[in-house]
Amino acid sequence: MSFAVNHLRIGIPSKGRLSELATELLLQAGLNFRRQDRSLFARVSSIPAEITFLRTDDIPTLCSEGAIDLGITGSDLVEEAQADVVVRMKLGVGRCRLAICVPTHSDIEKPSQLKGKRIATSFPNTTQRFLNQHDAPVHLVKLNGSVEVMISLGVADAIVDLVETGSTLAANQLRILTEIGQYETVLIQSPNCRDTVTADRIVRRLEGVVIARDYSLLEYNVPRSKLAAAEAITPGFTSPTVTSLEDTAWCAVRAMVKRCDIIPIMEKLESLGALAILETSINNCRL
Ligand code: AMP
């Protein structure tokens, strides 16, 4: 199977955790496709688009070259490739930091002290740019993986690697010297996108799912005298919906609330005198 000429091409990672996250997100956004065996292509039903399965680190370059129109990849890889692409949206997953790391007991305290040292990394361009800004030219050892063991192997004095929880660093007796940047999974678009109307439609669909994942719907009843205070606690995405109740001293409020804030907000509303406070998940939305 190959691409249909006019169909929008979406590149997603062919394997790994990001492949699963991207597939799940696309399916939830109604972009249904089925990958057969190890096929590199899959047709999306009901929208003129096709999925192609690629190496995550090739996606920025293939998108800037126009081989694909949209791509799901890490913003760290977009920066490393210095790809000429538009970041259409952050996908709310894969958050990590790129950091310069040294042995736990190293006496190096700032990046300028790395001058002339050997640094192992899969991010040579980003590392070079950062250290040039700190006037610390270094010898870069470019690798594709297992960077964290390179100090104990005697290959490098420091490493530059992605850090999520920090447990890989701790297991290798390393500490963060400094952070180069913060990154996450993004949707990118080619400057030569062959169908911007379909691309926009896909972006809107994905936005619906990504925003819904971040928010819950909170509903509660509150004395009308406390409504202004309640609205200040739950201002909603745009503004809360307020409905009158039979008992005119009370009203019902409905507002979107960031999931991560839901518990303290429920507590504040309860202290204010709100009753029947209910949280409901949102699967999808258009705002
Ligand atoms: P952690 O032990 O949780 O700090 O994870 C660090 C390891 O996971 C490193 O080897 C990274 O290369 C990898 N890693 C963490 N976050 C990401 C990410 N968002 N994308 C790709 N690799 C990652």
Side-chain angles (χ1 to χ4, degrees):
M1 183 187 156
S2 60
F3 281 126
V5 180
N6 296 322
H7 282 193
L8 191 96
R9 303 173 183 179
I10 309 169
I12 72 168
S14 56
K15 55 184 180 186
R17 207 170 75 93
L18 194 48
S19 174
E20 286 167 27
L21 288 172
T23 301
E24 196 184 43
L25 184 64
L26 291 170
L27 294 178
Q28 218 181 328
L31 296 157
N32 297 309
F33 64 90
R34 191 146 19 105
R35 186 180 183 184
Q36 283 174 341
D37 300 328
R38 287 164 167 263
S39 170
L40 295 181
F41 303 102
R43 204 152 275 173
V44 178
S45 55
S46 79
I47 204 164
E50 277 158 29
I51 310 285
T52 180
F53 303 92
L54 301 164
R55 272 185 62 117
T56 316
D57 52 357
D58 283 338
I59 288 175
T61 305
L62 292 171
C63 194
S64 75
E65 292 293 328
I68 52 174
D69 304 290
L70 293 175
I72 292 179
T73 187
S75 57
D76 50 318
L77 300 172
V78 176
E79 184 170 326
E80 177 61 20
Q82 291 208 275
D84 176 20
V85 295
V86 178
V87 175
R88 290 296 309 264
M89 61 184 293
K90 295 175 177 177
L91 297 177
V93 290
R95 289 195 185 101
C96 60
R97 301 170 283 165
L98 186 67
I100 303 181
C101 308
V102 292
T104 317
H105 300 298
S106 165
D107 51 14
I108 295 177
E109 292 302 333
K110 48 185 192 226
S112 58
Q113 290 173 270
L114 292 169
K115 206 173 212 165
K117 302 263 189 223
R118 292 164 303 156
I119 304 207
T121 184
S122 328
F123 294 86
N125 298 327
T126 311
T127 303
Q128 188 96 65
R129 275 196 299 279
F130 181 83
L131 288 172
N132 283 348
Q133 284 163 11
H134 288 80
D135 195 25
V138 294
H139 173 71
L140 286 174
V141 182
K142 299 171 193 170
L143 298 164
N144 291 319
S146 303
V147 168
E148 65 276 8
V149 298
M150 294 305 154
I151 298 178
S152 51
L153 282 180
V155 175
D157 304 299
I159 63 163
V160 169
D161 200 7
L162 293 175
V163 181
E164 192 182 342
T165 60
S167 55
T168 303
L169 292 187
N172 290 281
Q173 278 127 47
L174 301 173
R175 66 173 167 85
I176 293 180
L177 174 67
T178 191
E179 219 174 80
I180 293 183
Q182 297 190 350
Y183 302 96
E184 66 180 286
T185 308
V186 289
L187 178 77
I188 53 173
Q189 182 171 324
S190 168
N192 305 312
C193 180
R194 74 201 71 218
D195 179 356
T196 54
V197 172
T198 302
D200 288 349
R201 199 171 151 204
I202 290 170
V203 169
R204 288 293 291 150
R205 285 190 181 200
L206 292 174
E207 271 172 356
V209 174
V210 170
I211 295 172
R213 283 178 176 183
D214 247 11
Y215 284 84
S216 279
L217 194 64
L218 203 61
E219 295 177 86
Y220 55 91
N221 295 340
V222 70
R224 200 162 266 284
S225 59
K226 300 281 177 60
L227 179 59
E231 282 181 320
I233 298 170
T234 59
F237 196 82
T238 44
S239 80
T241 306
V242 180
T243 321
S244 301
L245 294 179
E246 281 282 298
D247 179 347
T248 53
W250 284 75
C251 52
V253 180
R254 202 164 52 154
M256 283 173 72
V257 173
K258 278 243 179 203
R259 258 177 216 264
C260 56
D261 298 333
I262 208 89
I263 302 293
I265 284 182
M266 286 177 97
E267 285 173 351
K268 278 188 199 166
L269 290 171
E270 195 173 24
S271 308
L272 193 69
L275 294 175
I277 308 167
L278 305 176
E279 180 199 356
T280 315
S281 307
I282 306 169
N283 290 330
N284 207 332
C285 62
R286 291 292 165 113
L287 300 170

